Amino acid sequence: RASRGPDTFTFAVAGTITLQSDLRINFPFLTIDGGTAPAQGVQIKGGMIMVAAPAHDIIFRHLKVRPGDMRNQSIPDERDAISLNGQGGRVYNVVIDHCTLIWGPDIGGLAVLAGVSDVTVQHSIIGEGLYLSTHPEAVVAQGGHSYALNISQLSDSPNVWPRRITLYGNLLTSSDTRMPQVMGGEQVEIVNNVIYN
């Protein structure tokens, strides 16, 4: 990234972006819009999108984030499709719209963690956490590890919890648990979602 001003990324071609490590966003005013891509759109695999402090005013639209369990520099026991983590600062004003967030080894779809506020997730497909994968708990003997969506404070940040989170019009699908799990959140709205399988 060359500048620190507002940036919007659009796509003139469709296809798959294979990450060798996680894509970390820790700066403000960023829009990634896959809606401009033709045909099948834009898919991101191989790692997660991590939004960390001090990021704010972040928009994801029309993306397919399917990290999978490839062995690379992305750590599978922490890999979600998208993770919002304001630990050590704040992450706020985030919109996830018309996205597919599936196939993460840790949280299949979305993790909203400590220090995150003012998030809207709408009209998206979330879930299909990988039951058996490269995650250390994702083995039959451990009971698998298939999670969909987690809104939670972190144990090392006991007094900092996610707040003002809205889940509207989403499909949460095909995971064993966390469909969603809200643990330590404040002012969380879950409205008109379909929770399936």
Side-chain angles (χ1 to χ4, degrees):
R1 179 178 172 153
S3 71
R4 290 290 176 183
D7 277 335
T8 299
F9 291 92
T10 58
F11 300 86
V13 297
T16 298
I17 298 168
T18 303
L19 302 175
Q20 296 303 310
S21 61
D22 298 328
L23 176 61
R24 187 175 177 89
I25 298 168
N26 58 1
F27 46 84
F29 306 114
L30 175 69
T31 298
I32 301 177
D33 186 354
T36 60
Q40 297 301 311
V42 176
Q43 172 179 256
I44 298 171
K45 72 174 190 174
M48 72 175 171
I49 297 175
M50 163 67 84
V51 181
H56 61 84
D57 296 278
I58 307 294
I59 300 172
F60 300 108
R61 298 186 69 240
H62 297 281
L63 294 175
K64 294 177 250 182
V65 185
R66 299 170 174 163
D69 63 353
M70 294 172 50
R71 295 188 185 275
N72 56 27
Q73 295 180 41
S74 176
I75 301 170
D77 60 344
E78 297 178 0
R79 190 186 307 166
D80 315 320
I82 294 181
S83 181
L84 309 177
N85 189 341
Q87 192 173 25
R90 287 182 61 214
V91 169
Y92 59 94
N93 296 345
V94 177
V95 174
I96 298 172
D97 175 51
H98 285 88
C99 290
T100 301
L101 311 177
I102 59 174
W103 303 346
D106 189 13
I107 306 298
L110 175 66
V112 182
L113 304 172
V116 175
S117 65
D118 303 294
V119 175
T120 299
V121 182
Q122 62 185 18
H123 308 298
S124 294
I125 300 171
I126 302 165
E128 295 189 26
L130 298 180
Y131 179 72
L132 301 177
S133 72
T134 53
H135 189 285
E137 297 173 7
V139 294
V140 174
Q142 293 285 331
H145 193 87
S146 177
Y147 298 165
L149 193 155
N150 194 35
I151 299 171
S152 178
Q153 68 189 59
L154 299 170
S155 59
D156 50 359
S157 301
N159 298 316
V160 182
W161 46 86
R163 58 183 55 166
R164 294 185 300 277
I165 312 298
T166 298
L167 306 176
Y168 174 74
N170 301 291
L171 170 63
L172 279 73
T173 183
S174 301
S175 293
D176 280 354
T177 188
R178 301 188 188 182
M179 296 268 297
Q181 173 178 272
V182 180
M183 192 170 64
E186 179 180 273
Q187 296 172 314
V188 176
E189 300 176 301
I190 302 172
V191 181
N192 290 350
N193 296 276
V194 173
I195 299 174
Y196 170 76
N197 195 24

